[in-house]
Amino acid sequence: MTVSCVIPAWNEAPRIGAVLDAVTFHPRLAEVIVVDDGSTDGTSEAAARPGVTVIRQPNRGKSAAVATGIAAARHDLILLIDSDLQGLTPAALEALMVPVLSGQADVSVSLRRNAPWLWHRIGLDYISGERLVPRHLLPPPGVMATLPRFGLEVEMNRRWIAAAARIAVVRWPAVDSPMKQAKRGAWAGIVADLAMIRDIAATVGLPRAAAQIAAMRRLRVA
């Protein structure tokens, strides 16, 4: 067991339990770390269970929450999992980890069932939050903590492309991530989506974000 699982969470009390049901005591995982990023709905209490380390911090955004989790993680391989997934199973986690653990790929990334149609068409969700990645292909926690709230995935992509990392795209045909509009309401969901686009632009620029898709497709392995 050489994999540390890091789960950033903000106001996910109704959903995080189902994720932890799949993750906790998975035989591939040496530890599970939930970073509660200033939740106000009891997320920490919902995550508190044997086999899970819960870290609380003031609300500073996903990038900072992941940075906190990685700084606390004891192992070189980091499994990043979003806290709101629906339909996650130990088998889905296994499928995501095997390409890297077997040496077939350097990193892996999920392609969820309800990812946008375009991502399924091109065979890649370049901003997926579910990834298995060795520590040396992650931004250092000090750098990560300074990224915009939703800039983490495209910054990771930039480093993977620079290293010519072999990328396994793992389809998750039974796993969904709820839309922001469903969780927060229509207007708040739109605002959150616009904030994500703003953070991507602030991190790598929108033209480079588009170029990442083409570069990552070239780095895919079967």
Side-chain angles (χ1 to χ4, degrees), residues 152-198:
L152 175 59
E153 284 80 12
V154 290
E155 175 61 22
M156 267 194 280
N157 296 346
R158 187 184 69 79
R159 291 170 184 265
W160 294 4
I161 293 165
R166 298 168 299 160
I167 301 171
V169 178
V170 178
R171 293 184 180 270
W172 275 359
V175 182
D176 295 328
S177 178
M179 299 295 103
K180 293 180 177 65
Q181 289 85 351
K183 292 197 300 181
R184 305 183 190 181
W187 177 245
I190 292 171
V191 171
D193 284 336
L194 291 174
M196 182 174 64
I197 294 170
R198 177 201 63 203

Side-chain angles (χ1 to χ4, degrees), residues 12 15 83-86 112 114 176-183:
E12 295 293 354
R15 291 166 286 271
S83 56
D84 61 353
L85 298 176
Q86 299 170 341
R112 298 179 300 266
N114 72 332
D176 295 328
S177 178
M179 299 295 103
K180 293 180 177 65
Q181 289 85 351
K183 292 197 300 181

Side-chain angles (χ1 to χ4, degrees), residues 39-115:
S39 297
T40 58
D41 70 341
T43 291
S44 289
E45 291 76 12
R49 60 172 68 186
V52 177
T53 298
V54 178
I55 302 173
R56 298 188 186 190
Q57 68 178 31
N59 181 249
R60 295 189 284 129
K62 181 180 180 179
S63 296
V66 173
T68 296
I70 289 173
R74 294 181 285 115
H75 297 281
D76 181 63
L77 283 173
I78 308 294
L79 177 66
L80 298 175
I81 296 292
D82 283 347
S83 56
D84 61 353
L85 298 176
Q86 299 170 341
L88 186 66
T89 64
L93 295 168
E94 182 78 3
L96 188 63
M97 290 187 279
V98 161
V100 177
L101 294 175
S102 67
Q104 296 173 302
D106 300 307
V107 297
S108 62
V109 59
S110 76
L111 182 58
R112 298 179 300 266
R113 174 171 56 187
N114 72 332

